[in-house]
């Protein structure tokens, strides 16, 4: 029996993804602060580590989930027939397709570069 509602699950998923994004950002900031003069060679060797590849992939996956769920919440609240009349459902669908395309592009691009 599931005791959490759909909105609560979305809230938790978005917050967990946000924490993962924050932790990765702190990790990357620590790298920059602990390294004297980041150049291509240093940056490239940093990303040759399998750990960094996994962490960066996890970051982009968290980013994708966070973006998808967050924009769904925004779209379902504001891109509705209540605000836009009959155009609301088309605005919602267009927005969601655009977001899906951008997320797919970013994920594909990032995984090709990382791996």
């Amino acid at each position: 029996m599931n005791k959490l509602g759909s909105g609560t699950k979305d809230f938790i998923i978005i917050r967990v993804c946000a924490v993962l994004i924050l932790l990765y950002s702190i990790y990357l900031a620590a790298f920059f602060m602990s390294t004297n003069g980041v150049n291509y060679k240093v940056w490239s060797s940093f990303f040759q580590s399998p750990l960094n590849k996994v962490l960066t992939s996890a970051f982009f996956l968290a980013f994708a989930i966070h973006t998808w769920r967050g924009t769904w919440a925004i779209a379902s609240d504001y891109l509705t027939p209540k605000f836009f009349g009959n155009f609301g459902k088309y605005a919602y669908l267009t927005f969601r397709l655009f977001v899906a395309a951008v997320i797919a592009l970013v994920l594909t691009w990032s995984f090709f570069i990382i791996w």
Side-chain angles (χ1 to χ4, degrees):
M1 191 181 296
N2 196 347
K3 295 182 182 183
L4 297 177
S6 171
T8 304
K9 287 181 200 172
D10 286 334
F11 178 84
I12 291 170
I13 290 169
I14 290 171
R15 295 315 178 264
V16 167
C17 288
V19 169
L20 291 174
I21 292 167
L22 174 64
L23 291 174
Y24 181 79
S25 299
I26 292 169
Y27 174 69
L28 207 54
F31 165 73
F32 278 110
M33 293 189 311
S34 67
T35 305
N36 293 330
V38 176
N39 56 31
Y40 176 78
K41 185 177 179 180
V42 172
W43 187 249
S44 180
S45 66
F46 176 72
F47 278 101
Q48 289 306 312
S49 163
L51 174 65
N52 289 331
K53 289 182 178 190
V54 169
L55 292 176
T56 304
S57 296
F59 163 80
F60 278 108
L61 191 57
F63 162 80
I65 294 168
H66 183 85
T67 303
W68 182 250
R69 298 296 263 244
T71 56
W72 170 82
I74 292 167
S76 63
D77 285 346
Y78 298 108
L79 299 177
T80 64
K82 178 181 176 184
F83 289 105
F84 291 102
N86 289 335
F87 180 69
K89 61 184 172 186
Y90 301 111
Y92 176 84
L93 182 60
T94 302
F95 177 72
R96 296 300 285 157
L97 288 172
F98 175 75
V99 170
V102 170
I103 290 171
L105 177 69
V106 169
L107 273 181
T108 304
W109 167 77
S110 66
F111 288 138
F112 273 116
I113 290 174
I114 294 165
W115 295 99

